[in-house]
């Protein structure tokens, strides 16, 4: 028996374009953004194989092959930036990644809609503050002349050094990230939690399951695909821990502790004028990101999850 054609099928490609023309026009700015700043920017990777001079351009600059990569692997400053990046990225993965999930579960458990919306609005606000303001707030709270040390002085205790202390730099930047982005990052988890069937909670409660067992056997399995998806995406950006936050605080602790790959690329390329070497470092970081996201996606498939894409 032949299938009855749907209205969308009867319209044909041109008819569907005319019907969806408003949506297509709205999508144009986003499409142009990705084409120019993501796909178009891939052409800049050719600088990694050149001794690039801006006045000569790509066509006039000397081709050096893999010389920048050989220099990179023998550069102790590069490996220092890699070590700092891995250390902070690991802290972010261990402490920041679960924080939005925990906060989303807490918000989801709030019964009153008014209280939930108020708390959500409060925890969303720091996302809209720039890193300049966030770091200034932390400086006012934890700096040498900050509020915390003021209280300690009033109590007759000694001051503590947090801002500018190299030993506290890693936990400090993770704490700043959690305070700024944790609330905003709960949006996806809250959307996933809203799709969990309430009847499953009721059935589990009737069977005598407490809050902990309902969380472990109902909530987490229901949102596990979302957790795995976000984890795979996070692993793909494992070496991209941010720029502005670390750029603003690098001088306070010194490059030995504060230098990460993003700031290393900036100071090498834009500040130092060594664009070819900086492009090689950026390309190296991108290749590692591709390998990580491919590997993590394969592991997700082995565990029975869909991951980011199907192989």
């Amino acid at each position: 028996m032949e299938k009855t054609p749907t209205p969308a099928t009867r319209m044909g490609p041109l008819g569907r374009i005319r019907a969806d023309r408003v949506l297509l026009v709205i999508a144009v700015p986003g499409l142009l953004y990705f084409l120019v700043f993501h796909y178009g920017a891939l052409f800049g990777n050719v600088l990694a194989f050149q001794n690039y001079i801006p006045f000569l351009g790509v066509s006039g600059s000397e081709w050096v092959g893999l010389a920048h990569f050989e220099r990179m692997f023998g550069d102790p400053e590069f490996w220092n930036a890699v070590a700092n990046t891995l250390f902070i990225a690991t802290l972010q993965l261990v402490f920041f990644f679960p924080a939005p999930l925990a906060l989303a579960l807490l918000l989801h458990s709030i019964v009153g809609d008014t209280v939930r919306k108020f708390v959500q609005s409060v925890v969303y606000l720091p996302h809209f503050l720039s890193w300049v303001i966030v770091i200034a707030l932390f400086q006012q709270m934890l700096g040498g002349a900050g509020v915390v040390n003021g209280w300690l002085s009033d109590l007759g205790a000694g001051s503590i050094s947090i801002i500018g202390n190299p030993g506290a730099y890693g936990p400090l930047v993770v704490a700043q990230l959690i305070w700024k982005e944790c609330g905003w990052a709960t949006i996806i988890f809250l959307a996933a939690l809203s799709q969990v069937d309430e009847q499953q909670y009721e059935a589990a409660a009737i069977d005598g399951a407490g809050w902990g067992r309902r969380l472990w056997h109902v909530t987490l399995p229901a949102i596990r695909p979302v957790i795995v998806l976000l984890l795979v995406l996070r692993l793909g950006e494992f070496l991209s821990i941010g720029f502005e936050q670390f750029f603003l605080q690098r001088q306070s602790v010194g490059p030995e502790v504060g230098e990460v790959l993003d700031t290393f690329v900036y100071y090498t390329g834009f500040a130092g004028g060594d664009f070819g070497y900086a492009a090689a470092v950026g390309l190296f970081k991108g290749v590692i990101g591709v390998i990580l996201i491919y590997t993590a996606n394969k592991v997700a498939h082995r565990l029975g999850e869909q991951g980011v894409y199907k192989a």
Side-chain angles (χ1 to χ4, degrees):
M1 181 181 293
E2 296 183 358
K3 294 183 179 180
T4 304
T6 62
T9 305
R10 287 196 298 266
M11 284 192 298
L14 294 179
R16 295 180 63 182
I17 291 175
R18 284 195 296 268
D20 298 333
R21 60 184 180 275
V22 175
L23 295 177
L24 294 174
V25 170
I26 294 175
V28 166
L31 179 62
L32 290 176
Y33 167 79
F34 282 101
L35 288 176
V36 174
F37 294 103
H38 289 264
Y39 292 100
L42 292 175
F43 174 74
N45 287 324
V46 72
L47 272 62
F49 307 95
Q50 290 184 320
N51 185 18
Y52 178 73
I53 299 176
F55 299 104
L56 299 179
V58 174
S59 60
S61 298
E62 177 188 4
W63 186 268
V64 296
L66 300 177
H68 291 312
F69 294 94
E70 295 175 0
R71 172 188 168 190
M72 179 179 67
F73 290 122
D75 187 357
E77 294 183 358
F78 165 75
W79 288 113
N80 175 66
V82 170
N84 292 336
T85 303
L86 290 175
F87 174 66
I88 295 174
T90 302
L91 290 180
Q92 288 183 354
L93 185 65
V94 173
F95 294 102
F96 173 71
F97 182 79
L101 175 59
L103 180 58
L105 292 172
L106 178 63
L107 292 173
H108 186 68
S109 65
I110 298 177
V111 178
D113 290 338
T114 303
V115 177
R116 181 189 301 151
K117 291 179 180 179
F118 173 76
V119 175
Q120 283 180 279
S121 300
V122 171
V123 298
Y124 288 172
L125 284 176
H127 168 77
F128 299 99
L129 300 178
S130 69
W131 275 114
V132 176
I133 296 177
V134 171
I135 293 170
L137 290 173
F138 272 78
Q139 178 70 40
Q140 292 297 319
M141 291 296 297
L142 303 176
V147 175
V148 173
N149 279 326
W151 289 341
L152 293 175
S153 298
D154 293 340
L155 295 173
S159 62
I160 58 175
S161 176
I162 298 179
I163 302 293
N165 182 359
Y169 183 69
L172 174 65
V173 294
V174 175
Q176 292 170 348
L177 180 65
I178 291 175
W179 184 82
K180 184 178 187 298
E181 299 295 346
C182 182
W184 186 257
T186 61
I187 293 177
I188 297 179
F189 289 117
L190 286 172
L193 288 171
S194 66
Q195 301 302 313
V196 181
D197 189 359
E198 293 292 336
Q199 294 182 354
Q200 296 185 29
Y201 291 116
E202 295 173 0
I206 292 174
D207 291 339
W211 179 85
R213 288 190 173 274
R214 291 198 299 269
L215 172 66
W216 186 257
H217 294 287
V218 178
T219 306
L220 292 181
I223 64 174
R224 186 174 59 187
V226 175
I227 297 174
V228 172
L229 173 64
L230 295 178
L231 180 60
V232 171
L233 292 175
R234 180 67 193 92
L235 289 175
E237 298 179 346
F238 192 70
L239 298 181
S240 300
I241 58 177
F243 170 75
E244 186 178 358
Q245 178 189 12
F246 302 95
F247 174 75
L248 294 170
Q249 300 180 95
R250 176 181 179 271
Q251 299 301 326
S252 64
V253 295
E256 293 79 11
V257 175
E259 190 81 279
V260 296
L261 283 175
D262 289 328
T263 58
F264 182 80
V265 169
Y266 170 80
Y267 280 103
T268 302
F270 291 96
D274 199 347
F275 296 99
Y277 184 43
V281 175
L283 180 58
F284 168 80
K285 190 182 74 169
V287 171
I288 296 300
V290 171
I291 294 173
L292 286 174
I293 198 169
Y294 177 79
T295 305
N297 200 68
K298 282 291 186 181
V299 173
H301 291 165
R302 292 295 182 91
L303 296 176
E305 300 295 337
Q306 181 175 349
V308 178
Y309 60 89
K310 291 184 178 179

